[in-house]
Amino acid sequence: MDYQKIIDDLHLKYKSKTIKGEVASYIPELKKIDSNKFGINLYTLSDENFGAGDYQEKISIQSISKVFALTLALKHVGESIWKRMGVEPSGDPFNSLVQLEFEKGIPRNPFINSGALVICDILISKLKNPKIELLKFVRKLVNTKDIFFNEKIVASEKEYGYTNAAHVNLMKSFGNIENDIDVVLDFYYHLCSIEMTCEELSKSFLIFANDGILPHSKERIISLSISKRINATMQLCGLYDEAGHFAFKVGLPGKSGVGGGIVAVHPDLYCISVWSPKLNKKGNSAIGFKVLESFTTITESSIF
Ligand code: GLU
């Protein structure tokens, strides 16, 4: 399969298409992004790497990082985390507070904001220095030292984080947050602010395509069972309230972020990342979704 040609063709095709969408505007720092940016990268398990457009530019990965946090929590704490959250799609926007009150402070899944905040609380209780451990973990997956938090994004998230603060407070009132609220929020905002390129993103997700083993070093990072759980959670909850549609059209586990990135995993074959900042009504990259749909159609690759 000529992956480079497929990716180049898709880049060319979608670069000139007018697809409706809006750059995330809930914080000023994200609003500044050039809406015409567009990159695609594919990393195979045989260590081949194909890219087009802005695939080597650092992007705000936002909610994609929730996958790294969940992975760390499962690795260090294990299955007991599921006592504090579920694994069901929420059917609501990622920052909705509605369900949380009905369901007594137990988030539907680890990829909506409330679930990720509980994961942050779990990691704060377990790890000595969660921010450093988090960066160390992501850097190891990519085999680079060049992955950092963007402190301007952290500050912007903090300044406008009223809804996230409401989530933590509500969960604390139900006894589902152990640590100080400001400490949990600070870690959560750092989690949201990680910057990576599409190339780094694809590479970092290869463990989920490879049963938990890092392809470049052959080191086992997580168990087969954790890898399975994470792919299942991505499939069900990885694309906000559009995960069903993504399974239907793309047919791969994936995770998106409001920075306009989407990563998808084909177990045993590859990971693919797309970045295009204009978001559709559900908060997913409008072009990213279309590119992934076209890619799995052209390559006839899907888990179904
Ligand atoms: N930083 C966002 C927030 O907490 C989450 C972004 C996302 O879903 O990508 O509101």
Side-chain angles (χ1 to χ4, degrees):
M1 186 108 42
D2 191 347
Y3 282 136
Q4 187 62 55
K5 179 166 174 10
I6 296 170
I7 284 180
D8 283 338
D9 289 351
L10 286 173
H11 191 265
L12 199 67
K13 175 176 168 190
Y14 285 99
K15 183 111 194 123
S16 54
K17 274 215 165 158
T18 329
I19 290 184
K20 274 197 216 141
E22 301 285 336
V23 173
S25 58
Y26 72 99
I27 53 170
E29 273 310 306
L30 283 183
K31 225 164 137 181
K32 291 180 189 162
I33 302 171
D34 175 356
S35 63
N36 293 315
K37 291 285 179 185
F38 178 25
I40 311 176
N41 175 265
L42 178 91
Y43 229 109
T44 69
L45 279 184
S46 30
D47 206 29
E48 290 171 304
N49 169 18
F50 310 92
D54 305 311
Y55 72 102
Q56 284 174 320
E57 198 165 309
K58 293 280 187 187
I59 71 169
S60 183
I61 71 166
Q62 288 290 332
S63 268
I64 298 173
S65 63
K66 289 174 178 156
V67 179
F68 300 134
L70 173 64
T71 310
L72 269 183
L74 281 170
K75 187 174 158 73
H76 289 282
V77 180
E79 296 284 319
S80 64
I81 69 161
W82 303 119
K83 288 187 191 139
R84 296 179 56 185
M85 75 196 73
V87 281
E88 297 298 339
S90 70
D92 276 319
F94 66 100
N95 56 0
S96 168
L97 276 158
V98 176
Q99 248 162 16
L100 205 53
E101 188 185 3
F102 280 122
E103 298 180 0
K104 306 209 175 338
I106 302 291
R108 273 285 169 105
N109 67 65
F111 292 158
I112 47 175
N113 284 14
S114 51
L117 284 158
V118 172
I119 293 282
C120 286
D121 185 51
I122 290 170
L123 290 173
I124 291 164
S125 298
K126 187 71 189 179
L127 304 175
K128 240 195 199 137
N129 194 332
K131 285 188 233 170
I132 290 178
E133 299 272 338
L134 172 69
L135 279 189
K136 229 168 92 184
F137 179 67
V138 181
R139 287 170 178 170
K140 181 176 183 126
L141 297 181
V142 186
N143 196 22
T144 179
K145 291 196 172 82
D146 185 31
I147 290 173
F148 298 95
F149 302 119
N150 178 329
E151 293 296 340
K152 281 190 184 159
I153 302 248
V154 175
S156 218
E157 298 275 4
K158 252 182 211 174
E159 195 178 344
Y160 295 89
Y162 310 111
T163 315
N164 286 317
H167 277 99
V168 195
N169 277 285
L170 188 58
M171 291 191 288
K172 184 106 181 161
S173 77
F174 281 110
N176 199 15
I177 292 289
E178 290 171 353
N179 295 284
D180 182 80
I181 282 168
D182 290 331
V183 175
V184 177
L185 284 170
D186 176 69
F187 183 38
Y188 175 76
Y189 294 140
H190 279 83
L191 178 67
C192 293
S193 80
I194 295 176
E195 290 189 325
M196 292 167 80
T197 66
C198 285
E199 187 174 354
E200 289 165 345
L201 270 176
S202 308
K203 193 170 179 189
S204 67
F205 272 57
L206 284 177
I207 53 164
F208 309 118
N210 199 31
D211 294 340
I213 296 170
L214 259 187
H216 61 262
S217 65
K218 309 278 178 268
E219 184 187 344
R220 176 168 290 286
I221 302 294
I222 46 171
S223 67
L224 181 64
S225 156
I226 294 180
S227 177
K228 181 185 83 177
R229 297 251 190 280
I230 289 172
N231 279 324
T233 315
M234 282 198 275
Q235 187 73 71
L236 294 167
C237 318
L239 274 280
Y240 306 120
D241 190 19
E242 204 173 25
H245 203 66
F246 191 76
F248 194 67
K249 295 279 192 177
V250 179
L252 297 176
K255 184 73 197 88
S256 61
V258 294
I262 309 182
V263 194
V265 178
H266 193 308
D268 301 329
L269 272 185
Y270 62 74
C271 291
I272 180 165
S273 304
V274 187
W275 174 46
S276 165
K278 279 195 201 163
L279 309 178
N280 65 20
K281 289 217 167 75
K282 301 283 187 179
N284 293 309
S285 169
I287 287 184
F289 195 118
K290 297 266 179 221
V291 167
L292 291 171
E293 180 184 348
S294 299
F295 181 81
T296 52
T297 306
I298 294 165
T299 56
E300 297 183 352
S301 55
S302 139
I303 63 163
F304 299 109

